[in-house]
Amino acid sequence: MHRAKAKHKVRRWWIALIIIVVITCGILFFTPINNAWRSISGNDTPTDSVIKNELVKKINARKTGDPTQDKKIQQAADQMKNTKMSTVISAANNEDKAAQLIQQTSSLSAPEAQKVAHEIFTNSKYTPLRASLSSGNWVQVYQQYQILSKNGSLNDLKSLANN
């Protein structure tokens, strides 16, 4: 009887250890697995879909009640929903693609989008965001977004677009 209890405790310990190792590997290799899945399938991954849904929520939260402005915001949200994350990732490595994507997903004209993209690619404070985005590391993208929001860099981009 005592031996059976001891085996049961050892078995629980090994199961717990295996679960911890699997969770740790999942956390460490999450981004590469997600990126590989996207590359193989050519479609957004479930994680990409969650990220896009959150972006769309943030875009829709900017609605003001003004029908003209809200229509532009809704168009941007719809465009974001329909854009594959692989397109967003490739735009993080190419200024022309970035300008085109900015124009498609916002109400900016081509020259305004080009000006914003040029700023993103030439100003070093946006480099960590672009690097995180190009590697598909959504956790780092969010962290960089928070940093740029707090230090006013995103407001600088908005004002650049409006000038």
Side-chain angles (χ1 to χ4, degrees):
M1 184 83 160
H2 186 282
R3 198 179 288 170
K5 285 184 182 180
K7 281 185 180 181
H8 189 64
K9 285 182 182 181
V10 169
R11 204 174 292 148
R12 279 188 195 169
W13 185 83
W14 278 105
I15 290 171
L17 182 64
I18 289 170
I19 290 172
I20 290 170
V21 168
V22 168
I23 290 172
T24 302
C25 287
I27 291 169
L28 291 175
F29 299 112
F30 173 76
T31 298
I33 291 170
N34 192 51
N35 291 341
W37 185 353
R38 184 184 314 103
S39 296
I40 291 169
S41 71
N43 296 318
D44 288 346
T45 65
T47 303
D48 294 342
S49 298
V50 169
I51 301 291
K52 279 201 310 192
N53 287 338
E54 289 303 312
L55 286 171
V56 169
K57 284 180 189 177
K58 286 203 176 276
I59 292 169
N60 281 326
R62 295 180 161 254
K63 289 185 177 177
T64 62
D66 175 23
T68 307
Q69 186 68 20
D70 288 353
K71 183 179 178 184
K72 290 179 183 179
I73 291 171
Q74 187 59 50
Q75 286 173 341
D78 292 342
Q79 186 64 35
M80 187 66 221
K81 267 186 196 175
N82 297 326
T83 302
K84 288 185 176 185
M85 287 306 248
S86 58
T87 304
V88 175
I89 289 170
S90 69
N93 293 318
N94 183 299
E95 187 175 331
D96 292 331
K97 285 182 182 180
Q100 185 179 29
L101 184 63
I102 291 168
Q103 183 185 0
Q104 289 173 351
T105 58
S106 70
S107 61
L108 296 178
S109 66
E112 292 169 330
Q114 186 62 47
K115 187 168 46 170
V116 170
H118 183 71
E119 178 68 14
I120 291 170
F121 276 79
T122 58
N123 193 325
S124 62
K125 64 184 171 186
Y126 301 110
T127 302
L129 175 65
R130 284 189 317 99
S132 301
L133 192 55
S134 71
S135 68
N137 189 333
W138 304 128
V139 173
Q140 285 183 354
V141 168
Y142 181 73
Q143 289 170 344
Q144 290 302 316
Y145 169 78
Q146 293 292 356
I147 290 168
L148 294 171
S149 293
K150 288 179 184 172
N151 72 16
S153 296
L154 292 181
N155 288 332
D156 294 346
L157 278 179
K158 288 176 191 175
S159 65
L160 177 68
N162 294 328
N163 290 335

